[in-house]
Structures are given as C-alpha cells and as structure tokens.
Amino acid sequence: MHNKRNIFYLIRVREYMKKPTYRLGFKIIRTVVCEKDIPFQKVWEKHSNQPITYEGGQLYFSNYTKCYTCFGLGGVPCLLYSLTNHHTTEKIEDCLVCYGSLDKIPIEHKGYRPSLLALKNSWLMRYDLETGAMLEQVYLSPALKFKHLAWDTAMEYFVARTVQMDVRGQSHQENKTLLVLAVFSVFPLQFVAMLEVSTHVFCRDICSCMMSDGLLLVMHQNNFIRFYSFDHILKQGQLQSASLYTQCGQVGGVVGIPPYGLPVNVTLTACPDVLFEVRSVEHYLCIGGIPWHYIFTPRGQDGCYHVFTLDSRQLIGAGRIDLKVATLEPDKCNFHPDGRIIHTSEHEIRKVIQPKYTSSGRPIRRTTRFSEDALDDSLNTIQTVDYEDELDLIVTVVTEMKHGDLQAKVKVYDNETGRFIRDIELDEPWAEFSEHVVILDLDTIIHTVKQPGRKFACYVHRLQRTPSEPQLIRRKDTLQPTLGQRNRSHTANRSRRRTASRTVSQ
C-alpha cells in the first residue's frame, strides 16, 4: 500500500513540474512494472504468413506495408496506416525506423519528420512514420540489386548494401566486386558515397563486409576481421561529390532519378591502411566497455572468450571466460551498456565487472549473478536476455518442461544488483524449434514468433488490473485512486539501442 501511495504522490508532483519529467515518469512505470500483484495480461494476438517486426511502439506486417500502433483504444493494437504500393511488382526488402532530434527541427521540417526508410530493389523510399505518406523516393541503380539497410551511426548515417555477388562467375580476373555499399546521411536525406568492395583491393579471400560507426569492417575466409577508416577511404578514393536531384556527369543525368541512379563516386586502387585486425572464430567480435575493450574467440578455442584492451591489445587480468559445462546451446558473451560484460550460459547469467587493480597490481574482479532457485534447475533453459534501458531492468525468458510442453516465463531483475524482482508467465505456446523474440517495452511485452513453414505470430501483453479488482483502494477512511493506464511520454526522438557494443558476424 505504501508503494501505491508513493506512486499517486509522484503523479501529482509530475503535473506541477514545469520542466520535462521523463526520469520521474520512468520511475513511476518501473515501480508499477515491478509490483508482483499487478499482472500482465494478453490483450492481442495476430497471425500472418509474412514476417512481423516491432520497433518504437509499432508493429509491422505484410512486408512493412501495414503498420499497427500498440497504443490503440484500451491498450489494444490497431491499424495505423497501410502503405500505398507504388511499385506493385516489388516488395520491401528491408526497413529502418528513423527518428529526428526534436530540438533541431527547422521551420521547413519535411526532411526532419520521423520516417520509415524502405528498400524496394532499386528504390529507396522514405515514408512518414505517423501517416504512411510518401515523403521522398530515390532511384539507386539500374543494374544493382540492393537488399539490406543498416545503421552506420544510429540516426545519422545509414548504408544500403547489395546482395553478395558470385566472384567466381565474373569474367575479369583482376578486379572482382563482392558487393556495393551506398552511404547516406539523414535529416535531411543526403547521398554521401557509393563504393565497390572488390577482391583486387581487399584481398581474394574476402567473404563479407559492413559498416559501423564510421568504420568499414571486412571479413575474410580465414576468420580475420579488418577495420578501415571510411573517412580515409573518402579522402583517398572519392572521384567527385554528388548531391541528390542534381546533374552529374558521371551518370549522365540527374542523381537519384531513373534511369540514372547514383554514381559509384569512390574508387580504390590500393588497400587502405588497416586500423585494427583480429582473428576470431566465426568472425565473432564485440567492442565496448569503459575504457574500450573487445571480446573474441581465439582460433582453435571454441567455447572460450578472451577480453583484450583495444589500445594495447593485451589480455586483461582474469580476461579469459571459459565454458565450464557442456550444454546444447553455446554460451554468449557481450558488453552491457554500462561497461560490464554479460556472460550467458544455458542456465545462468553473470555480469562480470572489468577488473580494477590494487596498489600492488592484484586484479579485483566482482561478479553479479542474475539467478533464482528456478534457474539452477537443469530443467530450465534461458532463451533470451535483454536490457530495458529506460527502466534499468534485465529481462530474461526462461522455459521449463511441464506436462510434456514447454512453458515460458519472463523474469525481471534489477540491473545494478541482479536481484530477482518478479516473473510473468506467457500463456501462449512456446514452440521449441521456432524463432522467438520477446521484448519488454515499458509496460508492454511483445512476443513475436517465426515458425517452420513461414508461419508468423505476434502476442501483446499489457500491464493492467483485472476487471474483478476494485478501481479504488480503501486505506483507513481515505480513498485513493489506483494507477490506471499510464501516460506514456513522447519518445519519438529517441533510438532504442539494446546494447552499446557492436557484434560482427558473417
């Protein structure tokens, strides 16, 4: 009762505060989410033959062409808009949700509106995120097929990437192109550069590449990962700058308009200087920590992780994390946004503090274990681990075999101490050989499933009182209203980052 009365008091205080009260609002929501006697109830489910994705409070169906908001009447998702299909023969290959910074919007703000960036074969489309209206479309290339979109720097630069080409089938022996990258900046949308990644420049054994935080990462077949500065590549190989919707001699017409598309305006004749390289099993690499460190698996040491400093490239004290027990699922090791390391095995989660040293040089290593009696039982398996950054909670999904069926529970822990807070039972079936994604977004749990045979499902659970409970709580002779459906603050200018680290995989 004391907690509920505090929540009521905080809500009253928030109404009289002049400055934004995001922290106070999140504190209120966290307090309610952590209340064991306030249940999560399944309020909605939907099935589809096409993939389902969730981001920023919105669900996307039918290859991103139908958008459902999770904040419909009564907290039930409802259709927000359907995209007009301007190219009926082409489907959306990939999408990015793009939020603008609200403190930088000029009077002419069309180029700064929250957008859905969609890739349709040779077209880059920009839709209004709230209405689905077409804002902009850019023709990429008449010859290249672009299939993937990814952030280079979140909400600043993104990359459109082609499918990987078969270098063995290319006739010329010297310069074989593996793939092509087109780099853009946002707010407003601008073309930066287009680059061919070829075997002539980056060696014959390249197998993939990507961009992250201004770096070009090239993966090789011998498990090497090499990092290059993209700014240096621009200075070294940029032929000319090109702006969208302007004349360009290289393409012989207007940039971004059919049939011309975008020019390949960056060409390298020699390999740039390598900033950093590491050899890791299956190209696994995670960078993060304070100061910068990196985690990788040395060659021939499967199931073992090493933690090195990025500046000296030396193994830190107690920086070897081994797989102690043979399990069906491999261990996972990555950086937490607060600089610590999360080591997840099949039945246990450990958050390892990067070691500090005493005056004599002895390493001090402290470990926080996210565990409860149920997790120590070999019948339970940790399926996913996530971090709810706004509520500062660690969220895991644990499955247990009951009466021949798998039963899933969402377990919530305090991020700082690892203290178990509560669990939420998911009443929908948990298929063992399906792909599951479970997200706790403030007071909402979204569970998406990809089943064999291209069958997809989505379940939405909401924190709410059961109808049988009274709407007023009586304490002595005072009536106090309970906290009903929360008032979510406007968070369109934020970008969700589930981890601060960058994981590289082929």
Side-chain angles (χ1 to χ4, degrees):
M1 190 68 64
H2 179 68
N3 287 337
K4 294 180 178 65
R5 187 169 59 179
N6 285 343
I7 292 171
F8 178 66
Y9 171 75
L10 291 175
I11 293 175
R12 293 290 300 270
V13 170
R14 185 182 63 172
E15 293 179 357
Y16 291 99
M17 295 181 69
K18 296 181 180 179
K19 295 183 179 180
T21 56
Y22 299 126
R23 285 182 176 271
L24 182 58
F26 292 145
K27 181 179 180 179
I28 295 171
I29 297 173
R30 175 187 164 114
T31 303
V32 179
V33 168
C34 295
E35 281 288 334
K36 296 181 180 180
D37 61 339
I38 303 181
F40 278 81
Q41 294 182 353
K42 184 167 67 176
V43 297
W44 191 77
E45 70 175 87
K46 187 174 176 62
H47 299 263
S48 173
N49 294 325
Q50 295 176 328
I52 304 170
T53 57
Y54 172 83
E55 187 167 352
Q58 295 181 178
L59 287 160
Y60 297 93
F61 292 82
S62 304
N63 288 322
Y64 300 94
T65 58
K66 290 186 178 180
C67 176
Y68 285 75
T69 176
C70 284
F71 313 119
L73 184 62
V76 178
C78 65
L79 182 65
L80 185 61
Y81 60 79
S82 296
L83 297 181
T84 304
N85 194 353
H86 293 277
H87 305 272
T88 56
T89 60
E90 300 172 358
K91 68 174 184 178
I92 294 179
E93 300 285 355
D94 204 356
C95 274
L96 287 178
V97 175
C98 191
Y99 294 107
S101 179
L102 296 180
D103 60 348
K104 297 180 180 178
I105 296 180
I107 295 177
E108 180 59 42
H109 64 277
K110 182 179 179 181
Y112 292 79
R113 290 189 60 81
S115 306
L116 180 70
L117 300 170
L119 197 61
K120 288 188 178 182
N121 196 9
S122 298
W123 288 88
L124 176 66
M125 326 291 286
R126 190 167 69 89
Y127 299 96
D128 189 292
L129 193 62
E130 299 174 357
T131 65
M134 172 68 69
L135 299 177
E136 198 170 0
Q137 50 185 337
V138 178
Y139 186 68
L140 300 178
S141 173
L144 300 172
K145 183 179 180 180
F146 288 84
K147 195 174 181 64
H148 305 286
L149 285 177
W151 286 111
D152 172 26
T153 304
M155 305 302 156
E156 294 184 22
Y157 294 92
F158 71 94
V159 182
R161 192 177 71 172
T162 64
V163 294
Q164 292 194 185
M165 306 174 192
D166 185 6
V167 295
R168 297 172 299 178
Q170 299 180 29
S171 58
H172 49 288
Q173 299 298 319
E174 295 296 329
N175 189 9
K176 297 183 179 181
T177 301
L178 178 70
L179 51 82
V180 177
L181 303 175
V183 183
F184 297 84
S185 64
V186 294
F187 306 122
L189 181 65
Q190 294 179 337
F191 171 63
V192 176
M194 185 180 283
L195 167 69
E196 292 181 345
V197 179
S198 67
T199 59
H200 172 68
V201 174
F202 295 101
C203 193
R204 294 181 179 180
D205 66 344
I206 57 174
C207 57
S208 184
C209 80
M210 60 183 296
M211 284 190 62
S212 177
D213 294 320
L215 298 173
L216 179 66
L217 285 62
V218 179
M219 277 71 81
H220 298 259
Q221 293 177 358
N222 55 8
N223 287 324
F224 268 108
I225 308 169
R226 294 189 171 96
F227 290 64
Y228 304 90
S229 168
F230 189 70
D231 286 339
H232 180 70
I233 290 175
L234 288 180
K235 294 178 181 178
Q236 179 179 341
Q238 188 170 24
L239 302 176
Q240 62 176 346
S241 60
S243 300
L244 292 176
Y245 321 122
T246 61
Q247 288 287 336
C248 176
Q250 186 176 348
V251 297
V254 179
V255 176
I257 300 297
Y260 309 107
L262 306 176
V264 180
N265 61 340
V266 178
T267 301
L268 296 175
T269 57
C271 186
D273 295 334
V274 178
L275 297 180
F276 171 72
E277 71 175 17
V278 65
R279 195 173 194 177
S280 182
V281 175
E282 296 183 355
H283 299 116
Y284 173 82
L285 179 66
C286 193
I287 299 177
I290 304 171
W292 291 108
H293 290 69
Y294 62 95
I295 304 172
F296 72 104
T297 300
R299 184 183 182 187
Q301 300 187 40
D302 294 22
C304 174
Y305 296 98
H306 285 187
V307 184
F308 277 55
T309 59
L310 193 60
D311 56 351
S312 63
R313 304 183 189 180
Q314 298 294 322
L315 181 70
I316 66 174
R320 181 186 174 98
I321 302 174
D322 291 304
L323 175 63
K324 294 182 174 58
V325 181
T327 57
L328 296 176
E329 295 293 331
D331 279 23
K332 298 175 184 178
C333 196
N334 51 43
F335 284 102
H336 189 277
D338 62 15
R340 292 178 284 182
I341 298 169
I342 290 186
H343 178 214
T344 307
S345 64
E346 191 170 5
H347 306 295
E348 183 184 52
I349 308 168
R350 296 188 303 158
K351 185 185 287 185
V352 183
I353 305 295
Q354 289 189 27
K356 299 180 180 179
Y357 297 88
T358 64
S359 58
S360 62
R362 180 177 63 85
I364 302 173
R365 189 178 190 224
R366 188 170 86 245
T367 299
T368 300
R369 294 180 183 271
F370 294 85
S371 61
E372 189 206 4
D373 292 340
L375 291 184
D376 297 330
D377 190 341
S378 60
L379 296 178
N380 290 269
T381 302
I382 298 174
Q383 300 289 346
T384 64
V385 179
D386 196 12
Y387 174 55
E388 217 301 342
D389 53 350
E390 290 155 336
L391 304 185
D392 198 29
L393 296 173
I394 292 291
V395 182
T396 70
V397 177
V398 178
T399 55
E400 179 184 7
M401 188 65 70
K402 286 185 176 180
H403 308 295
D405 296 322
L406 278 178
Q407 178 67 52
K409 288 184 178 181
V410 177
K411 293 183 175 289
V412 181
Y413 301 84
D414 180 77
N415 175 57
E416 183 64 28
T417 64
R419 177 180 60 88
F420 173 74
I421 298 175
R422 68 172 298 182
D423 56 14
I424 303 108
E425 190 168 303
L426 302 180
D427 58 359
E428 62 263 18
W430 186 278
E432 184 175 3
F433 299 105
S434 300
E435 297 180 16
H436 298 262
V437 176
V438 179
I439 298 173
L440 173 64
D441 190 353
L442 298 181
D443 66 342
T444 306
I445 295 177
I446 300 94
H447 177 199
T448 57
V449 187
K450 177 183 178 182
Q451 301 173 344
R454 292 193 60 82
K455 294 181 179 180
F456 303 87
C458 175
Y459 307 90
V460 178
H461 301 254
R462 267 266 153 75
L463 187 74
Q464 56 184 304
R465 288 287 183 185
T466 58
S468 59
E469 294 188 43
Q471 298 301 313
L472 297 176
I473 297 178
R474 181 178 298 273
R475 186 176 186 268
K476 295 184 178 179
D477 295 327
T478 305
L479 292 177
Q480 299 179 359
T482 62
L483 179 66
Q485 186 177 0
R486 56 156 172 76
N487 180 17
R488 175 183 293 254
S489 60
H490 183 66
T491 56
N493 61 330
R494 67 173 172 84
S495 168
R496 296 191 58 85
R497 287 191 177 189
R498 291 291 172 185
T499 57
S501 56
R502 297 286 184 177
T503 302
V504 182
S505 59
Q506 183 176 349

